[in-house]
Amino acid sequence: MAAPPRKRIAVLGSLNMDLVPYVPHHPLPGETLTSSRFGTAPGGKGANQAAAVGRLSRSPDALADGDVDVAMLGAVGSDPYADVLRSSLASCGVATDGLRVLDGQRTGIAIIIVDEPSGQNRIILSPEANHALVPADFAALPDPRPDLLIMQLEIRLDTVLQALAAAKAASVPVLLNPAPAQTLPLDAYVGLAHLILNETEAAILAGCPESDLDDEPGLQRVASLFLERGVANVVVTLGGRGVYYATKAGKSALVPAHKVDVVETTAAGDTFVGSYALAAVHASPDDFDIDGAVKAANRAAAITVSRRGSQLSIPWKDELE
Ligand code: ATP
């Protein structure tokens, strides 16, 4: 009997070249700082999450043999950064034929200022080609149809909302990571399979102070609000505190983070999303083991924060054991 076709994940989102100064502390207003080091790295939440799905589901010496097929949908400019970003995704097993190359435009840039002592980062985005994707490009989801569509908010919001509508029309489940946070129309939440957001994003989208997320009852209240808006599975990532999840089926838990020596947190959230997506794409809505998915994602993200770098700090499948 022929093996069933491999599940397919599409990631619609940003690709950025990360320009990364490492500093002794984040600069204060008016302060000029000298960095101790400077790095460049392929990034963008979309590309990082695609890379996470690719790496967490395959081994580097058998890129074609992943547990899932993963494709990146996005746009780059016609500069040398575009080639770096495309080849980095390809080296993670991600299909890049859905990438649009825009003549005369720049590829997206992210300036990521890393505070060396804490590993915390602050980020400035220049979207450039990422903002050239318009709603008309996603009147329907591109073929082949994915089994799960992952999106973030580093591309135009109207494009994300159109892709969300196209996915709903095609009954394709969506995992939305609303980062960076922007207020969404309430109908965007209706029928959303998975909402994964960090504390800051959760507070902004829920319209409450971040301190409301300090304890489990507060987390429960905020997660309930998203469930009431129509989301099936809500996951709030809490950095070093771990993760809180709640589902419309009534499951919820606060799962602590793994204790690791933190080197750099860049791409922690993206690793989490990629790992969770791999569990979600293989489950039907009725038998999804969200607890298992969150615990696996917590483990994968803990490895990422214990290493330097962004996309390339995400572990491969064999490093998870
Ligand atoms: P980023 O934008 O830095 O990629 P994020 O803000 O989207 O991350 P976080 O909530 O900071 O997301 O982290 C995502 C997950 O990564 C956490 O839920 C946890 O599993 C893991 N993680 C983050 N920080 C730590 C830490 N200090 N120790 C262990 N695990 C961590």
Side-chain angles (χ1 to χ4, degrees):
M1 212 171 61
R6 267 197 296 200
K7 296 281 187 184
R8 197 186 301 277
I9 295 179
V11 183
L12 168 57
S14 59
L15 298 97
N16 293 322
M17 196 66 201
D18 290 350
L19 308 180
V20 194
Y22 293 83
V23 292
H25 60 87
H26 284 127
L28 301 168
E31 182 179 16
T32 299
L33 270 181
T34 301
S35 67
S36 54
R37 290 180 299 119
F38 182 82
T40 59
K45 281 203 165 286
N48 286 354
Q49 292 177 13
V53 172
R55 292 166 76 97
L56 293 164
S57 63
R58 53 191 23 84
S59 133
D61 45 22
L63 291 179
D65 298 335
D67 300 337
V68 297
D69 288 331
V70 50
M72 178 77 210
L73 308 174
V76 289
S78 53
D79 50 19
Y81 288 157
D83 301 329
V84 177
L85 296 179
R86 191 185 300 100
S87 60
S88 178
L89 282 176
S91 76
C92 297
V94 178
T96 58
D97 37 348
L99 281 185
R100 196 163 313 159
V101 180
L102 301 166
D103 267 350
Q105 296 220 29
R106 264 189 240 264
T107 299
I109 296 280
I111 299 170
I112 302 180
I113 305 170
V114 181
D115 171 31
E116 280 211 287
S118 70
Q120 293 290 328
N121 56 50
R122 289 189 185 178
I123 302 177
I124 300 164
L125 286 179
S126 288
E128 309 290 342
N130 292 306
H131 269 193
L133 293 175
V134 293
D137 297 329
F138 295 94
L141 289 188
D143 283 330
R145 205 182 89 160
D147 298 292
L148 178 71
L149 175 67
I150 304 178
M151 292 190 285
Q152 320 73 29
L153 302 181
E154 284 185 355
I155 60 170
R156 284 173 49 153
L157 181 59
D158 54 358
T159 303
V160 171
L161 296 176
Q162 173 54 44
L164 200 53
K168 273 184 200 166
S171 303
V172 170
V174 173
L175 186 167
L176 182 66
N177 172 225
Q182 294 174 58
T183 308
L184 299 172
L186 286 179
D187 63 359
Y189 295 97
V190 179
L192 188 61
H194 309 280
L195 180 70
I196 302 185
L197 65 188
N198 71 15
E199 289 166 277
T200 309
E201 292 143 10
I204 291 172
L205 297 190
C208 67
E210 226 172 295
S211 55
D212 280 16
L213 299 156
D214 283 351
D215 56 18
E216 200 164 340
L219 285 161
Q220 208 167 16
R221 271 195 305 278
V222 168
S224 302
L225 194 129
F226 294 120
L227 295 175
E228 281 156 23
R229 290 179 186 173
V231 179
N233 299 288
V234 177
V235 179
V236 185
T237 63
L238 305 164
R241 287 164 64 207
V243 198
Y244 180 80
Y245 70 80
T247 75
K248 76 169 182 197
K251 290 186 230 170
S252 66
L254 181 59
V255 180
H258 288 259
K259 295 219 177 316
V260 289
D261 290 331
V262 177
V263 174
E264 188 181 324
T265 61
T266 315
D270 299 329
T271 305
F272 188 95
V273 166
S275 174
Y276 178 101
L278 282 168
V281 79
H282 285 112
S284 73
D286 302 328
D287 70 7
F288 177 44
D289 171 15
I290 189 169
D291 197 70
V294 161
K295 285 178 177 158
N298 221 10
R299 267 196 307 278
I303 298 177
T304 297
V305 301
S306 68
R307 302 172 175 184
R308 202 177 293 292
S310 51
Q311 213 172 82
L312 304 178
S313 66
I314 300 167
W316 293 97
K317 183 180 176 183
D318 12 350
E319 294 177 281
L320 298 171
E321 281 136 23

